[in-house]
């Protein structure tokens, strides 16, 4: 207060003006900082954008893991083959016991899409020294294990598993025994699998208790209807410009409903 008392009136006015400008500057700066603190976080915005970007992307391909068992000591995996089929039909059922039913299924198609074999040239034989590295407990589709060589396809990985398709995994062992597993890929990518034994042609005996929908085709999402809704057909190129109402033809005569009587002609 003493400073203002000793300062002339004209100087006091300048001091008040400077103090007022400083107060306004501080208030403006403070509002800007508060607004920045309460504004949406940039990271959350990026996450929302990423989530929206993932919508409509194709689903990842289905995966298949096949377990391998050995009945003989020292046995090993010699070769694995995957055959693709495009349809299935149950042609016979056999009661195996009181709780299990075997089904003979005839598959449509039969195209080998993946095959690999043991690389015996690396070290000894798969039945001799070093055979343990060939005794795999399981295999993953499209992944060639170590010490094995891909035969089919000649280059690159095999095609992804197709939803709605059928596959037979054929496992050959060094002892000469061979096992088969029939697989159906569902719409969500999950698998229906059954132990199988080959029969005539492309038929296999599946065990056991095959579900009733196993031979049914898989219904996949149809995007053509959405595309048609987004792109409606163009209007008539030559509309009637006279303004007269269109001519109406006489309605066709009503047809009698089909008879439910099986004896009716």
């Amino acid at each position: 207060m003493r400073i203002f008392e000793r300062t002339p009136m004209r100087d006091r006015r300048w001091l008040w003006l400077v103090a007022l400008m400083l107060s306004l500057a501080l208030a403006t700066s403070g509002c800007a900082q508060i607004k920045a603190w309460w504004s949406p976080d940039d990271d959350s915005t990026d996450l929302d954008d990423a989530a929206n970007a993932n919508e409509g992307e194709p689903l990842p391909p289905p995966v298949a893991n096949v377990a391998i068992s050995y009945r003989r000591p020292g046995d090993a995996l010699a070769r694995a083959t995957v055959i693709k089929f495009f349809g299935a039909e149950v042609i016979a059922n056999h009661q195996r016991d009181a709780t299990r039913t075997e089904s003979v299924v005839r598959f449509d198609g039969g195209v080998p899409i993946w095959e690999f074999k043991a690389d015996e040239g690396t070290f000894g034989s798969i039945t001799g020294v070093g055979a343990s590295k060939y005794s795999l407990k399981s295999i993953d589709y499209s992944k060639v294990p170590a010490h094995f060589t891909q035969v089919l396809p000649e280059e690159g990985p095999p095609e992804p598993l197709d939803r709605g398709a059928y596959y037979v995994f054929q496992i050959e062992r060094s002892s000469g025994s061979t096992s088969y597993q029939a697989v159906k890929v569902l719409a969500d990518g999950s698998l229906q699998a059954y132990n199988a034994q080959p029969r005539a042609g492309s038929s296999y005996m599946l065990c056991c208790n095959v579900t009733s929908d196993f031979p049914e085709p898989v219904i996949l999402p149809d995007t053509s209807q959405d595309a048609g809704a987004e792109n409606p057909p163009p209007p008539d190129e030559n509309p009637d410009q006279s303004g007269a109402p269109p001519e109406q033809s006489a309605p066709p005569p009503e047809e009698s409903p089909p008879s439910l009587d099986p004896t009716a002609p």
Side-chain angles (χ1 to χ4, degrees), residues 95-220:
Q95 197 71 28
R96 183 170 182 176
D97 53 35
T99 58
R100 294 182 296 176
T101 301
E102 297 176 331
S103 300
V104 179
V105 178
R106 181 169 54 210
F107 292 99
D108 179 20
V111 181
I113 60 172
W114 191 45
E115 182 179 349
F116 66 86
K117 66 177 181 177
D119 187 5
E120 304 178 17
T122 56
F123 181 71
S125 171
I126 60 175
T127 57
V129 180
S132 59
K133 62 185 179 183
Y134 298 101
S135 301
L136 304 181
K137 302 301 181 184
S138 64
I139 59 173
D140 294 323
Y141 177 74
S142 77
K143 297 180 181 179
V144 179
H147 313 298
F148 288 82
T149 301
Q150 180 169 290
V151 178
L152 187 70
E154 296 181 356
E155 296 181 359
E159 64 180 53
L161 296 178
D162 191 10
R163 288 173 169 81
Y166 299 85
Y167 299 88
V168 171
F169 288 76
Q170 179 177 329
I171 304 299
E172 302 177 28
R173 298 166 181 81
S174 59
S175 62
S177 66
T178 305
S179 61
Y180 304 83
Q181 194 168 37
V183 172
K184 178 184 181 181
V185 184
L186 303 181
D188 60 357
S190 60
L191 308 178
Q192 285 183 355
Y194 300 92
N195 293 329
Q197 288 294 331
R199 291 296 184 263
S202 60
S203 300
Y204 290 80
M205 175 78 78
L206 273 56
C207 182
C208 291
N209 302 332
V210 176
T211 60
S212 59
D213 61 348
F214 183 80
E216 299 296 330
V218 170
I219 300 177
L220 300 177

